[in-house]
Amino acid sequence: MAGTLVALGLRAIRHVPKNAPLQASAAMSSYTRTLIGKREIVGFGFNGEPSYVDRADFPMPAIRWKEPTSDVQALREKEKGDWKNLSVEEKKALYRASFCQTFAEFKAPTGEWKSLIGISLIFVSGAIWVFYALKAFVYSPLPESFKEENREAQLRRIIDLQVNPVQGIASKWDYEKDDWKK
Amino acid sequence: MFRTTAVRAQSIFRNALTPKKAHAATVSRFMSSHSTETDEQFDTRFENFFNRKDIDGWEIRRGINDLWGHDLVPEPKILIAALKACRRVNDFALAVRILEAVKDKCGPKVGEIYPYIIQELKPTLTELGISTPEELGFDKPELNLESVFHIH
């Protein structure tokens, strides 16, 4: 474990560019550059990190989705003119250059709930079979006191002992008629 | 020992415990400050923010993200200012994204609020040549991506 950590740490140190400037911020930005390539950093995003996430609560990510390739650059030049001259295809291409998925796409239902419920029910049915197996092969039979006549005898004894005579079971028993109060 | 502690504690709490002379302008109270901004002031603040002449794309995105943190659907006049700001910084995608985000912000009342907002925005949209997400076919999913949580 410790050896793995040391190896990982060494690898992280070795991969820092050798000619990185001394200032921490400049070093970080050059590392960030290796992650995001030539993509423009265009905003704050949701936490200030230059990362792309499609989120409904922070609709504007920090970087553009596509790197500025030559055809994207050409579209950007055309974008500076009147937007009425853009065709629908060009408009969609411009959107896809800045953003990965539309709201309708990243909020589309995945149907994952079906597999979740299905797998859960498989485990539940397995547990029921295990219960019956234990019942059949492991547990001893229920004690005598669970039989119908034993439980009736127990109730009779509770009534004879006048258990809970004010609000409970004996208060509902009519001792003169020897039956439940109507 | 206890006496030293008590004396020190007393000197620390003295300032907090003795009632201050109430100033006419500032009365200090031990409670969080509440915003006294009215809805109109809020709308005007954001409208003025987006109407600034020297606004850039960074600030538009920051303004939208901040505005989206509030429990409200933005007034059409704020959105008009934001769309015009998008036109000034030449970012078409941003304008479409704002419209999409408004539709999402309407929540369960999307059937009532979204048509009203589009109706209010229609003159601006035609003036600037912005297509609604519906005109671009963005109201239905057209690109399916595997979730990043399922790739590996």
Side-chain angles (χ1 to χ4, degrees), chain A residues 51-64:
Chain A
S51 59
Y52 186 95
V53 188
D54 277 320
R55 286 176 65 155
D57 48 351
F58 292 93
M60 304 301 171
I63 58 175
R64 291 198 199 276

Side-chain angles (χ1 to χ4, degrees), chain A residues 7-54:
Chain A
L8 278 176
L10 277 179
R11 195 182 301 166
I13 291 168
R14 265 197 309 151
H15 282 193
V16 170
K18 288 212 177 63
N19 51 358
L22 286 175
Q23 289 87 0
S25 60
M28 200 166 80
S29 78
S30 79
Y31 174 63
T32 311
R33 245 335 130 193
T34 63
L35 292 180
I36 67 173
K38 293 197 186 92
R39 287 173 185 82
E40 279 176 85
I41 299 177
V42 287
F44 184 81
F46 63 94
N47 61 356
E49 291 290 318
S51 59
Y52 186 95
V53 188
D54 277 320

Side-chain angles (χ1 to χ4, degrees), chain B residues 61-82:
Chain B
R61 286 173 169 86
R62 188 69 209 257
I64 293 289
N65 276 351
D66 283 354
L67 186 54
W68 254 245
H70 291 88
D71 186 14
L72 49 86
V73 183
E75 284 290 320
K77 59 178 185 176
I78 302 179
L79 296 170
I80 289 171

Side-chain angles (χ1 to χ4, degrees), chain B residues 108-128:
Chain B
K109 298 208 169 177
V110 65
E112 297 170 41
I113 305 175
Y114 186 63
Y116 161 75
I117 293 210
I118 288 295
Q119 168 205 324
E120 294 291 309
L121 293 186
K122 204 70 212 172
T124 317
L125 297 182
T126 42
E127 177 200 334
L128 300 180

